[in-house]
Amino acid sequence: MGGTRHAGILRIAVRGWLGRFVGGVGLRRGRRDAARLRVGDSLDFWRVEEIDPGRLLRLRAEMRIPGLAWLEMHAERDDEGGAVYRQRALFHPRGLLGHTYWLGVSPFHAIVFGGMARNITKAATKDTGTRHSAADG
């Protein structure tokens, strides 16, 4: 299990280095307050665009890519008193290169974001002891 975690960290670091190499923000570390996330904070190569505590986190990508990208994470109560977690990656491509880029990375995003949703719901279940489910929206 530790090997998988280290491989994930390595992939993130490589993405950050490549981003810096092509003129992007790279992999930023640190925030104004390590315990609280606020609108405008940088989080690796993302910028916090919107927060509705306990319900929504929207991050805007600051990577050098041919388009605009966001990652949204939502949590809401279901009819049975449990919680439902939803996340979605949004991309507004610029031109043919943007469309080609998105088609190329989509299969990898399905793997990465699927694992991310499972890990978040697993951690939430552990922390609260309640039933949670993950859904892509």
Side-chain angles (χ1 to χ4, degrees):
M1 188 97 154
T4 303
R5 180 172 177 250
H6 292 297
I9 291 169
L10 180 61
R11 280 192 298 273
I12 291 170
V14 169
R15 174 70 182 165
W17 295 326
L18 289 173
R20 286 295 289 255
F21 180 73
V22 297
V25 296
L27 195 60
R28 289 195 193 146
R29 302 212 186 267
R31 300 189 300 263
R32 292 177 274 191
D33 181 345
R36 291 174 26 133
L37 198 57
R38 296 184 290 187
V39 171
D41 281 353
S42 62
L43 185 62
D44 293 333
F45 36 76
W46 300 94
R47 176 77 53 188
V48 178
E49 195 169 87
E50 185 175 347
I51 299 176
D52 181 358
R55 302 200 57 181
L56 169 71
L57 174 62
R58 180 180 302 124
L59 305 173
R60 179 178 34 83
E62 292 190 326
M63 298 167 271
R64 199 100 184 212
I65 53 176
L68 302 171
W70 295 267
L71 177 60
E72 291 184 343
M73 294 165 263
H74 300 264
E76 57 192 44
R77 291 277 174 212
D78 65 13
D79 295 337
E80 300 167 11
V84 177
Y85 172 75
R86 299 182 196 282
Q87 69 183 32
R88 65 183 182 157
L90 301 153
F91 185 68
H92 181 72
R94 284 195 193 114
L96 182 59
L97 184 59
H99 287 280
T100 304
Y101 167 82
W102 190 248
L103 287 172
V105 299
S106 289
F108 302 105
H109 282 170
I111 294 166
V112 170
F113 292 141
M116 181 183 192
R118 284 187 297 279
N119 289 338
I120 288 171
T121 55
K122 185 174 170 183
T125 303
K126 231 186 268 184
D127 288 346
T128 63
T130 59
R131 182 184 60 77
H132 295 272
S133 64
D136 291 325

